[in-house]
Amino acid sequence: AQSVTQLGSHVSVSEGALVLLRCNYSSSVPPYLFWYVQYPNQGLQLLLKYTTGATLVKGINGFEAEFKKSETSFHLTKPSAHMSDAAEYFCAVSGPLVGGGTSYGKLTFGQGTILTVHP
Amino acid sequence: NAGVTQTPKFRILKIGQSMTLQCTQDMNHNYMYWYRQDPGMGLKLIYYSVGAGITDKGEVPNGYNVSRSTTEDFPLRLELAAPSQTSVYFCASRSSGNTIYFGEGSWLTVV
């Protein structure tokens, strides 16, 4: 079984400020973790993913996330927010296709966090 | 490389009508998924398939059916549309390298 909790359905920051979007997960198999961004009336775009290896993952648009197994967290950060970062962000967890039991690589999503960036 | 293609992009259905959302991928992926997205709820898994001829229910399968006669195609069928099925639907496929490809979404309104 797996689940994702995103802390804060809305986050508001000023342009140039640090962006921190929180994600905690639970998983009965080794987790693969993802962050997606969605702009209004558009599809999902992958920001970054963690599968194995280095726990600090760098993604597109200056975002990064760190997998912390002891804290079951995968928080998304960006040092300096831009107006163009305003969107909804989703954290997701899956098991691996191999060794993931019956998870079959199914993604379980958090409820999403809407990021607002103020001038 | 077209990736995952969904059709239609927009559709309005009347209550009780039926329709099929089409999903095709050209990457030879075995694993395919259908999700629905509702405001404030994230994405919920409707059905998934691990290969041609094999499908199974996800979290929210009621009111839907799927088939997987080929590796490429994974259509989602709504038999008797209800207002509760107003949603955005996403099809996805997953590579053996754990890259997940999403379609662009299908916006469905049931009135």
Side-chain angles (χ1 to χ4, degrees):
Chain A
Q2 54 195 29
S3 66
V4 174
T5 301
Q6 289 184 240
L7 299 174
S9 58
H10 290 82
V11 171
S12 180
V13 301
S14 298
E15 193 172 19
L18 171 72
V19 175
L20 171 61
L21 303 182
R22 299 178 187 271
C23 172
N24 287 89
Y25 71 91
S26 69
S27 178
S28 56
V29 296
Y32 287 7
L33 295 155
F34 304 80
W35 274 100
Y36 288 89
V37 62
Q38 186 180 38
Y39 298 99
N41 299 315
Q42 294 189 24
L44 295 165
Q45 181 180 10
L46 180 67
L47 279 176
L48 47 81
K49 67 177 180 180
Y50 167 80
T51 53
T52 57
T55 57
L56 182 61
V57 180
K58 295 186 184 299
I60 63 171
N61 301 338
F63 285 94
E64 63 181 37
E66 186 171 10
F67 169 57
K68 293 186 176 180
K69 185 177 179 181
S70 61
E71 298 177 8
T72 61
S73 69
F74 191 58
H75 302 330
L76 181 71
T77 61
K78 182 174 180 177
S80 176
H82 294 168
M83 296 295 290
S84 60
D85 294 328
E88 189 164 17
Y89 292 79
F90 293 95
C91 181
V93 65
S94 82
L97 288 178
V98 177
T102 58
S103 69
Y104 299 119
K106 292 176 283 186
L107 275 175
T108 297
F109 286 84
Q111 294 181 326
T113 298
I114 296 173
L115 176 66
T116 302
V117 182
H118 296 289
Chain B
N1 192 339
V4 178
T5 303
Q6 286 182 238
T7 57
K9 191 169 178 73
F10 301 99
R11 182 75 186 267
I12 298 174
L13 271 183
K14 292 185 178 179
I15 294 171
Q17 286 186 320
S18 300
M19 76 159 295
T20 298
L21 297 175
Q22 302 290 347
C23 176
T24 300
Q25 52 92 8
D26 61 357
M27 298 169 283
N28 202 35
H29 292 164
N30 286 321
Y31 293 81
M32 295 189 73
Y33 314 88
W34 272 107
Y35 291 88
R36 60 175 287 170
Q37 182 182 20
D38 301 297
M41 303 292 289
L43 282 77
K44 302 291 186 185
L45 182 65
I46 304 171
Y47 270 94
Y48 67 97
S49 171
V50 301
I54 307 170
T55 63
D56 206 349
K57 297 176 180 179
E59 280 182 89
V60 290
N62 292 343
Y64 307 95
N65 277 300
V66 294
S67 59
R68 187 93 183 271
S69 57
T70 66
T71 299
E72 295 78 19
D73 299 312
F74 190 40
L76 178 71
R77 178 93 178 150
L78 286 70
E79 290 295 347
L80 292 170
S84 61
Q85 294 177 304
T86 294
S87 190
V88 184
Y89 293 84
F90 288 97
C91 180
S93 70
R94 184 165 178 157
S95 73
S96 58
N98 293 301
T99 298
I100 300 166
Y101 299 81
F102 281 89
E104 293 189 347
S106 298
W107 275 252
L108 176 66
T109 301
V110 182
V111 297

